[in-house]
Amino acid sequence: MPEASANIGVVGLAVMGSNLARNLASREGNTVAIFNRSYEKTETLVSEHPEAGFIPAKTYQEFADSLQKPRTAIIMVKAGGPTDAVIDSLVEVFEPGDIIVDGGNAYFPDTIRREKAVRETGINFVGAGISGGEEGALTGPSIMPGGSDESWITLGPILKSIAAIAEGEACVTHVGHDGAGHFVKMVHNGIEYADMQLIAEAYDLIRRGTGKSPSEIAEIFAEWNKGELESYLIEITAEVLRQVDAETGKPLVDVILDQAGAKGTGAWTVQTALSLGVPVSGIAEATFARSLSSHPEQRAVAGALPGPDDEFVVADEAAFIEDVRLALYASKIVAYSQGFDEIRAGAADYGWNIDLGAISKIWRGGCIIRAQFLNRIADAYAETPDLPVLMTAPYFAEALTRGQASWRRVVVSAAQAGIPAPAFSSSLSYYDGIRADRLPAALVQGQRDFFGAHTYKRIDKPGTFHTQWSGDRTEIEAEDTH
């Protein structure tokens, strides 16, 4: 039997798992046990990185025996069936008090289900969102663990040892119980969808409006990255736009097929928001934009549909580019505001005590949406922890005031030029909707009452009412069905 000398183990040694194991091993105080279904991968990792001092295991029993109690293992395998299979195998060799961590992109209802089932064995199950991709896993990700308070006592110091550091603070916090960690990671990814789509729309508008080359637009993004838009995504956008394809000599962005892939987390964010009754229109439109891009057969047929006759001409390039920058920032504020609305609603619905300010802080480093902007979000929640709408915080309200005229000009220009800008447009519509004194929902309620007797409330007196549309059209007080 191997000596129980490892304080943490990793199961699943594909790129993410291998990089996470190497990160763990590089931190003082950690000794890492590793296991993979194919022992060949385990041997390769051990031989390529002898400095890590990995403790390899050929079986789950060997893996369990090499771990100190309470045994702690992080699963880094494909979501779904493979994750369930590994959990079942670990449960067989672990004991009450031990900790199983799923570090994959699991759908949070699955995490809730797994946590409940594993808890019955006395073993702790933790769903942990890990953001930062392959590089983050190796050098320091942003980590969003759920699970029990008991598991956090052991797991917290280990995760803090490998997390990214932003302004002296580790980018990890105990998000909440059972599925809270994977829920927050899901919303993080939804915001990421919106952020990426908004940047893509900004690029498209500048290129079509000014005729600038990708490399010229790269310099614009690099300049933007020095100001309030500073972020990882703006930074890498400039890098992508600078890249030249070695084979054709063309800008790489011009030879990449314009069909965007998706792993499902954007759709989960939108589906969950719908079930919670939270509008996340910016995230939704970004998700739908990827779907639309991935239907070339429809786009080929629809390409013959008429568009504007007039050519899109920008009279003042510098002014237009600044308008796009401000529109991008305003739309970004909306995307984050909507995302935090969803986290708040999810926390209330599932009974999680999620600190929104703490979430914004752990997203400042390691993760894909890391940005200087997140400090402003942390400040807003520090000042008003129960802030009902993030974008009403003074800093964001001022930014929206400063940018709204540009935002409107950009959306109008896009519509007149026939350039799709769904995330810009939907974000502006949401902004105007949430600030409206009165919405046409009153008419919708009248329609619902007419065809389905769904009732309505009045502005001038309490109670619930129904008009007898098929009778004499008198109004009666009805039982409140809401």
Side-chain angles (χ1 to χ4, degrees):
M1 287 178 58
E3 183 184 349
S5 56
N7 67 313
I8 182 69
V10 176
V11 177
L13 302 177
V15 177
M16 281 290 290
S18 295
N19 282 4
L20 195 73
R22 289 171 58 196
N23 187 350
L24 284 160
S26 71
R27 311 296 173 156
E28 188 176 352
N30 290 337
T31 301
V32 185
I34 55 174
F35 175 84
N36 194 76
R37 186 177 60 174
S38 163
Y39 189 63
E40 186 180 345
K41 276 194 176 180
T42 307
E43 287 181 308
T44 299
L45 186 61
V46 170
S47 64
E48 289 181 352
H49 297 282
E51 77 287 350
F54 291 127
I55 300 176
K58 291 184 178 179
T59 67
Y60 279 108
Q61 188 62 62
E62 274 188 24
F63 179 72
D65 291 340
S66 68
L67 289 166
Q68 300 166 1
K69 297 181 182 180
R71 300 178 183 90
T72 305
I74 302 176
I75 300 171
M76 298 297 290
V77 299
K78 190 175 179 181
T83 297
D84 284 318
V86 173
I87 292 168
D88 290 344
S89 297
L90 287 174
V91 166
E92 289 180 5
V93 295
F94 275 21
E95 299 173 353
D98 291 346
I99 304 164
I100 298 172
V101 183
D102 176 12
N105 261 345
Y107 189 27
F108 77 93
D110 290 338
T111 303
I112 293 173
R113 167 182 60 79
R114 288 165 179 153
E115 194 277 337
K116 183 179 179 181
V118 173
R119 190 195 326 143
E120 292 177 359
T121 70
I123 297 169
N124 290 289
F125 182 78
V126 176
I130 300 177
S131 178
E134 296 172 11
E135 180 186 353
L138 181 62
T139 61
S142 172
I143 313 174
M144 295 149 260
S148 67
D149 295 336
E150 177 192 6
S151 63
W152 178 244
I153 294 170
T154 299
L155 193 59
I158 297 171
L159 296 183
K160 286 176 183 177
S161 77
I162 63 165
I165 302 295
E167 300 187 22
E169 297 178 286
C171 293
V172 57
T173 190
H174 186 206
V175 174
H177 295 153
D178 55 63
H182 277 144
F183 175 84
V184 167
K185 175 58 162 59
M186 175 194 74
V187 176
H188 163 284
N189 285 23
I191 293 171
E192 182 184 303
Y193 273 53
D195 219 341
M196 293 171 71
Q197 177 65 24
L198 289 166
I199 291 170
E201 290 178 16
Y203 153 75
D204 196 33
L205 284 161
I206 292 172
R207 188 165 188 187
R208 295 213 217 180
T210 68
K212 290 184 181 296
S213 67
S215 61
E216 290 173 320
I217 300 172
E219 297 313 309
I220 292 170
F221 276 94
E223 190 62 32
W224 286 359
N225 200 45
K226 298 175 184 176
E228 60 191 1
L229 278 169
E230 183 275 318
S231 68
Y232 174 70
L233 284 172
I234 293 287
E235 177 189 338
I236 67 167
T237 297
E239 293 298 320
V240 172
L241 291 175
R242 287 191 185 108
Q243 186 68 16
V244 174
D245 176 49
E247 188 173 332
T248 64
K250 296 179 180 179
L252 179 65
V253 73
D254 287 346
V255 298
I256 296 175
L257 190 66
D258 63 336
Q259 296 173 25
K263 292 289 183 70
T265 47
W268 291 347
T269 305
V270 176
Q271 290 162 353
T272 303
L274 286 170
S275 69
L276 292 170
V278 179
V280 293
S281 50
I283 296 169
E285 287 297 346
T287 306
F288 292 141
R290 292 196 190 187
S291 300
L292 187 150
S293 77
S294 298
H295 285 282
E297 76 291 349
Q298 292 185 315
R299 292 166 60 196
V301 173
L305 293 172
D309 293 325
D310 296 334
E311 185 181 355
F312 183 33
V313 178
V314 171
D316 186 334
E317 286 189 1
F320 178 71
I321 290 167
E322 177 62 6
D323 276 352
V324 173
R325 185 188 73 82
L326 289 166
L328 173 57
Y329 194 56
S331 300
K332 181 185 177 87
I333 291 170
V334 168
Y336 281 74
S337 189
Q338 291 178 345
F340 277 90
D341 281 348
E342 182 167 354
I343 293 174
R344 180 191 296 103
D349 198 64
Y350 289 94
W352 298 319
N353 183 23
I354 299 179
D355 182 337
L356 299 180
I359 298 304
S360 64
K361 284 186 174 183
I362 68 169
W363 287 351
R364 293 179 301 176
C367 70
I368 304 303
I369 62 172
R370 61 184 181 267
Q372 177 258 349
F373 175 88
L374 286 154
N375 280 312
R376 307 287 78 80
I377 297 177
D379 292 343
Y381 285 120
E383 187 172 329
T384 312
D386 58 349
L387 184 67
V389 182
L390 176 60
M391 63 185 181
T392 62
Y395 174 87
F396 297 118
E398 185 279 327
L400 291 165
T401 300
R402 176 164 44 89
Q404 71 146 329
S406 293
W407 198 6
R408 296 183 191 284
R409 283 193 293 268
V410 167
V411 169
V412 168
S413 295
Q416 290 178 333
I419 298 172
F424 275 155
S425 303
S426 64
S427 298
L428 179 58
S429 291
Y430 171 84
Y431 172 78
D432 285 334
I434 202 165
R435 68 177 192 83
D437 287 336
R438 186 166 172 81
L439 293 166
L443 177 57
V444 173
Q445 283 299 86
Q447 294 167 332
R448 293 178 72 238
D449 188 60
F450 190 104
F451 67 68
H454 291 294
T455 73
Y456 53 85
K457 295 183 184 294
R458 297 176 59 100
I459 63 171
D460 52 359
K461 57 184 175 182
T464 303
F465 301 90
H466 166 63
T467 294
Q468 300 184 91
W469 299 102
S470 57
D472 61 5
R473 301 208 169 186
T474 57
E475 182 181 79
I476 61 171
E477 190 157 3
E479 183 181 345
D480 189 351
T481 58
H482 300 287

